[in-house]
Each structure stands twice: as structure tokens, then as C-alpha cells.
Amino acid sequence: MMKPKRYHPLLMLFDVWGFVKNVFFLVIILFVLNYQSQSFLFKYGRYAFYLYTVITFIYIISKWLTQKYKLGDTAFHLYKGVFTKKEQTIPYAKIQNVNRHISVFHRIFKMTSIHFETAMSGEDTTIKFNVISLQEADKMEKVIEQGTQHDRELDDHDFGQDKLERQNDIDVEEHKEVPDEVSTLKTNAQSGRQNRVIHFNPTKRDVLKASFTSLSFLVLVPILVSLYFQLDDFFDLDERAEGLISIILSAWWLIVVIIVALVITSIIFGIVRVYLKYGKYEISSDEERVYITQGVIDERSFSISKQNVQAVEITQSLIKRLLGIVEVKLISAGNLKIDDDDLKISSLYPFLPEKRAYEMIAEILPSYEITEQMSKLPKKALWVRLLRPIWFIVLVSVALFYFQPAIWGLEQAWWIGLVLLIVVIYSFVILGYKNTKYTINDHFIQIKKGGMVTSHIVTKRDKIIEVKVFRSFLQRKLGIASFEIVNRANPVRHTELDDIPVAMAGSVYTWYMDRTKEIEIE
């Protein structure tokens, strides 16, 4: 059997780097801005920092010495603990997604991080290798692929022709030089990439459209304001800026120049920001998996088995609707996080042309069928939706009539605000009614709803784990009902559709019960 092995030694340096980033501003405060201060807070704060640093370094070293892992035939085996030993076994079959991240740190040392996301609940649901060689990461993916497909003919000489030979080969490779293994893995990786079909690479026009659609150019001003207030806490910039502000306000042409320069800088900043994130975006797939890669400097990649896609979500904001673009997301049961940061990389691309998006779904997931022929809600559903906000509007009206608050010195502002509130509420109600559509066929259900932002969910019957049909008092009187479907995701995905004909709601339940004819145990 393969022996447990320690994580890569560079993991310690990676943890140290993370520690340095976390305490950087604390170091500036204690040892730069207040180094000469003998106050209790700063004097003993420095001593506490020394102690904290020593404890952190001891923990980083001890963690590396005690944590190990092993690749088995069908599962990961993880070992951890200094005084209390803990062993965790995670079957390969539970792995939903594979996430890779190449930060500046990884790029310097030609390493990567790889996280295997599972559908398991509780703690430690993600298998993390924050620093690992590219060859080892490729090897892991290969072992997992072979471990979850026992009936496939194995041609790789490193793993043999069956489970026993594969494990013995891995044992032998662990005790000898690795050039043959590395070259074989590179060959396997290259072969796998050659089998991939590239579906999308953004053009310069796509990047420009994305920078304006995402409103990235508006991010610079809040960043500058936040930076100003942070520096003001230490350097008292208000007093120093008074003279400069008076000079600027005294010359109108200077104000115009500054505004134009700020606008141009914001636009350039937004374009650069979007390019660094989406400039090298790639969507590809092979027969089994979907691959998404993004990032120019900080590279992230995501792969998911097509069988693990629980649903497809197509979202469209008002701006995107006007421009004819959509965002397509793949819903899966695994977490989409790296280093505690949410990954939105499960999106095929946030700014896809609508027609191309539907074509791409058909190319990548041919088992998913999306139709534009969808049923609308009955007219009596509109009356129900118009009546629902009545109680809220009545309560707000009574409160405003009683207090009659004056806003900006305008005594009549309270009823003007009430009218605007009613207009906004019912605009969203009517917009939501018009946007809500649905359809059900033999194996799929599609639900589209939303007001300013629409969400179009497409899922297969065998991917739904629960269906619930319910009716309120008002719905019973008008012969309509609501239903909710539940998909495996993290967190569990609930999708509700309100105010459809009661006969259709009943047929949804019957349709779901017929899933036993096609459901597969994953």
C-alpha cells in the first residue's frame, strides 16, 4: 500500500506569507507609526505581537510535520493531529468539483493549489492542497478519474491494468526517481487537453463590453475615498488638504480637468480590472467534464463532471437585458471556495450573448434541453400578486399619515414618498408577473421569474431531491397553487414558483413521482 506522505514543504512558506499579509497593517501601526510610543496599548501590544508570531510559527511547523495524506484506490486518506490523531477517509465518488488557483506566490515557485469539493455535509468537506506541484496535482486528478471509473480500460503504465496493479505501481513510483512518472503525467495531461473542445474565448470587444456592463469603472472612486479616510486616521489629511481644496474650488477649469481626468482614469481602471479577471477566460469541455479558466495574473480554474451538474441557471439584469447578454451558471453540490473566498467561476461567462449562451449550453451539456416555448401565468395570478402587498402599504400609509414627517423641509413629502413607494412596489409586481414563465416536459422543468433581475432555472427530474406543492387561503379561492423544487447544492437550492393553475401544480407532483424510472444512484 502507498505510504502516507507529507504536504509540500513550501506549504510552510505559503502559511507564513498568509500570516504576513494578515498582520501587515498591524505591524505598520505598532512598529512604524507608534514605534516610539511607551503607552500601555502600544508597548505591551508589541510584546503580544512577538508572542503571537512565535506561536504562529510553531503551529505552522508542527502542522506540516503532523499532517499527511494518502491516495488510495477509491478514497483520499487524510491524517492530522499532534496529540490526538485523526484519520479521515473521503471516497472519490463524493468529489463534485475540482478547483485550481495559481496566485502570484504559486507562479513564482511554479506551483498551484488544488481543492476537491465534495457533496458531504459537516466540517472538512473540502480536501485542500494549498501548495502542490503541477505534476502532483495532475496525478491526483488522474487517480481520482481512474478510481471512480472501475470499468474503463486503464492504459496508463503508472497505474496498471486493474486496481491492484494500479496501487502497486503507485507504491513503486513513490520509492524511485520521478522523471518517468512526470513525463507520463505530462503526456496524459497533454492528451486530455487535446481532447477538449474550446467553446469560448473572449475577444477584446467582449472585454470592453464586460467592463461597462459590470460597471467596474465605478469602483475606483469608492476605493480612493476609502483609502483617503484610512490614511487620514494616521496623517490627518483634512488639515493638509484644506489649502489644496480651496485652490481647486477657486478655478472652474481646474475642476473640469480633475473631473475629466477622474472619469478617464476610472474607465481605464475598469477595463484593466476586467481584463485581469476575464482577459484569458476559457470555457472548454470533453466527454466527461466542463473546464473554466480565468485570470491573467491570479489564475483560477474550475472543473466539474457533467454528471454532477444539478441545474443550469441563466440570470439577466436589466442592463444585460437591454444589451442582449446573459450569465450562465452551473449549479453543483460542492462548495465553490478557495482560501475562504467565494468563487463565481462556476459561471460559464457573466457576459455571454444570449443566443450564444443557449448554443453553448447545448454544446457542453447536450443532455439538457432548453426551450423558448414556455407557459405564462394565468391572469388571476396577477390579481393575487396585486393583493399581497396591500397590508404592507396600509401599515406604511397609516404610519406616514400619523407622523407626517417633513423631509428636506417639505411638509408634503410624506404623501409624495407614499405614492412613489406604491408605484415602485406595483411596478415590480407587474414586471415579475410578466417575466414569470415555466414549462415541463418528459425529463426537464424550466422556471423563469424575477423583476429587475430574471433567473431562468433548468434542471432534470433525476436531479431534483424534493418537490412540495402548497396553497394559501387566497390561492385556494382562485384555483391556483405554488410548488417548490429542491436541488442538491451548497447550500441546498430551493426554487419556488407561485400562482400557477392548481391542475398544473398537481401534475408537477405526479411528474416528479415518475422519476423512479430514470433516477441513478450517484
Side-chain angles (χ1 to χ4, degrees):
M1 292 291 292
M2 175 183 175
K3 294 182 179 179
K5 60 188 298 185
R6 289 193 178 96
Y7 292 79
H8 199 284
L10 279 175
L11 179 61
M12 291 185 285
L13 183 59
F14 179 80
D15 289 339
V16 170
W17 170 243
F19 169 75
V20 171
K21 289 192 296 183
N22 290 334
V23 302
F24 177 76
F25 286 104
L26 181 61
V27 170
I28 295 296
I29 294 172
L30 293 176
F31 297 97
V32 178
L33 300 177
N34 298 282
Y35 183 71
Q36 301 296 332
S37 176
Q38 295 300 314
S39 68
F40 178 85
L41 178 63
F42 294 110
K43 180 180 179 180
Y44 289 96
R46 287 190 286 269
Y47 292 140
F49 178 80
Y50 294 141
L51 179 61
Y52 175 65
T53 301
V54 171
I55 293 175
T56 300
F57 275 67
I58 293 174
Y59 170 75
I60 289 173
I61 295 172
S62 63
K63 185 180 72 169
W64 182 79
L65 291 173
T66 56
Q67 290 190 356
K68 298 181 180 180
Y69 69 94
K70 181 175 69 173
L71 298 177
D73 264 350
T74 59
F76 272 111
H77 301 276
L78 308 177
Y79 307 88
K80 61 180 67 176
V82 180
F83 301 105
T84 302
K85 301 295 183 181
K86 178 182 177 182
E87 179 180 351
Q88 184 181 16
T89 301
I90 301 180
Y92 298 147
K94 295 294 184 180
I95 294 174
Q96 297 285 313
N97 313 322
V98 181
N99 301 328
R100 289 205 193 193
H101 180 204
I102 301 178
S103 64
V104 175
F105 176 92
H106 296 105
R107 200 176 296 278
I108 292 173
F109 296 99
K110 297 182 179 180
M111 307 294 284
T112 186
S113 72
I114 186 167
H115 291 186
F116 299 94
E117 311 293 349
T118 71
M120 301 169 65
S121 59
E123 298 181 357
D124 301 324
T125 60
T126 301
I127 308 169
K128 300 180 179 180
F129 297 88
N130 288 328
V131 179
I132 192 171
S133 68
L134 297 171
Q135 293 83 7
E136 183 71 7
D138 289 339
K139 173 183 175 181
M140 285 182 176
E141 290 198 64
K142 192 68 176 178
V143 170
I144 292 171
E145 178 186 349
Q146 294 178 336
T148 54
Q149 299 183 26
H150 300 291
D151 57 343
R152 188 177 65 180
E153 186 71 23
L154 301 177
D155 297 324
D156 193 327
H157 73 277
D158 287 329
F159 300 99
Q161 299 301 314
D162 54 28
K163 290 169 58 177
L164 179 61
E165 290 178 1
R166 180 171 68 253
Q167 191 61 60
N168 289 338
D169 286 343
I170 295 176
D171 294 340
V172 173
E173 294 294 338
E174 288 296 315
H175 295 88
K176 70 177 185 178
E177 297 297 326
V178 297
D180 292 339
E181 178 188 79
V182 171
S183 62
T184 301
L185 289 170
K186 286 182 177 179
T187 302
N188 292 335
Q190 292 171 356
S191 176
R193 293 190 186 97
Q194 289 174 357
N195 292 331
R196 296 184 191 178
V197 176
I198 298 177
H199 302 278
F200 181 77
N201 288 118
T203 63
K204 293 180 180 179
R205 182 179 179 181
D206 292 326
V207 174
L208 286 174
K209 185 185 293 186
S211 64
F212 286 98
T213 306
S214 64
L215 304 179
S216 292
F217 56 89
L218 299 178
V219 176
L220 181 61
V221 174
I223 291 176
L224 292 177
V225 172
S226 176
L227 181 62
Y228 175 85
F229 284 113
Q230 289 181 10
L231 293 176
D232 182 59
D233 293 337
F234 302 108
F235 301 107
D236 196 13
L237 296 181
D238 284 341
E239 293 184 1
R240 302 183 182 185
E242 285 181 0
L244 180 61
I245 292 175
S246 62
I247 294 174
I248 294 173
L249 294 177
S250 63
W252 65 267
W253 62 269
L254 195 56
I255 297 175
V256 173
V257 170
I258 292 175
I259 292 175
V260 171
L262 186 61
V263 170
I264 294 175
T265 304
S266 297
I267 293 174
I268 295 174
F269 175 81
I271 294 173
V272 171
R273 183 171 179 265
V274 170
Y275 171 75
L276 292 177
K277 187 173 184 180
Y278 298 111
K280 290 187 177 180
Y281 208 96
E282 181 180 281
I283 304 171
S284 61
S285 68
D286 55 27
E287 292 182 359
E288 299 176 355
R289 304 187 71 85
V290 181
Y291 305 89
I292 304 172
T293 303
Q294 73 174 41
V296 176
I297 297 176
D298 195 13
E299 183 179 321
R300 299 175 184 266
S301 63
F302 167 83
S303 73
I304 178 175
S305 171
K306 294 181 180 181
Q307 293 182 351
N308 291 335
V309 175
Q310 305 297 312
V312 175
E313 181 182 19
I314 305 166
T315 58
Q316 194 175 39
S317 65
L318 180 60
I319 296 177
K320 291 181 178 180
R321 195 150 57 243
L322 294 174
L323 295 175
I325 58 179
V326 299
E327 178 177 4
V328 180
K329 298 179 182 179
L330 305 180
I331 307 300
S332 69
N335 290 317
L336 300 180
K337 291 187 177 181
I338 283 186
D339 302 333
D340 298 326
D341 292 328
D342 284 328
L343 276 178
K344 296 185 178 178
I345 199 169
S346 60
S347 169
L348 289 184
Y349 188 68
F351 314 101
L352 281 171
E354 189 169 6
K355 182 179 179 181
R356 178 59 187 143
Y358 287 102
E359 293 174 350
M360 194 178 300
I361 294 172
E363 294 171 4
I364 296 175
L365 301 169
S367 62
Y368 276 76
E369 300 174 5
I370 299 180
T371 177
E372 298 182 8
Q373 303 269 334
M374 302 178 70
S375 301
K376 298 180 179 181
L377 294 178
K379 289 184 178 180
K380 51 189 172 183
L382 177 60
W383 292 108
V384 173
R385 296 186 174 209
L386 291 174
L387 290 173
R388 284 195 180 113
I390 287 293
W391 291 109
F392 174 75
I393 293 174
V394 169
L395 291 174
V396 172
S397 301
V398 171
L400 289 175
F401 179 78
Y402 180 80
F403 293 104
Q404 296 189 6
I407 302 175
W408 297 324
L410 185 63
E411 295 182 357
Q412 296 83 6
W414 66 271
W415 67 262
I416 297 175
L418 178 61
V419 172
L420 291 176
L421 178 64
I422 294 174
V423 170
V424 170
I425 289 175
Y426 282 115
S427 295
F428 276 93
V429 169
I430 295 172
L431 195 58
Y433 168 77
K434 288 185 173 295
N435 287 336
T436 302
K437 301 176 183 179
Y438 63 94
T439 188
I440 302 175
N441 60 25
D442 291 340
H443 306 288
F444 293 88
I445 185 170
Q446 293 182 211
I447 299 173
K448 183 178 181 181
K449 61 180 183 176
M452 298 293 289
V453 178
T454 60
S455 173
H456 185 175
I457 297 290
V458 183
T459 186
K460 299 169 68 174
R461 179 168 55 187
D462 60 338
K463 300 297 183 181
I464 299 174
I465 59 176
E466 182 182 340
V467 167
K468 180 170 64 175
V469 179
F470 52 93
R471 303 172 71 189
S472 67
F473 173 80
L474 193 57
Q475 286 177 324
R476 285 198 296 271
K477 293 297 182 181
L478 293 176
I480 56 179
S482 302
F483 72 87
E484 180 184 75
I485 62 174
V486 181
N487 289 97
R488 286 194 305 157
N490 199 337
V492 174
R493 183 63 179 261
H494 296 261
T495 304
E496 185 176 314
L497 182 61
D498 296 320
D499 309 322
I500 65 173
V502 65
M504 176 59 68
S507 65
V508 171
Y509 185 80
T510 304
W511 167 84
Y512 176 66
M513 294 304 295
D514 288 338
R515 79 193 191 285
T516 53
K517 301 175 183 178
E518 60 188 37
I519 194 168
E520 297 178 1
I521 304 299
E522 296 184 359

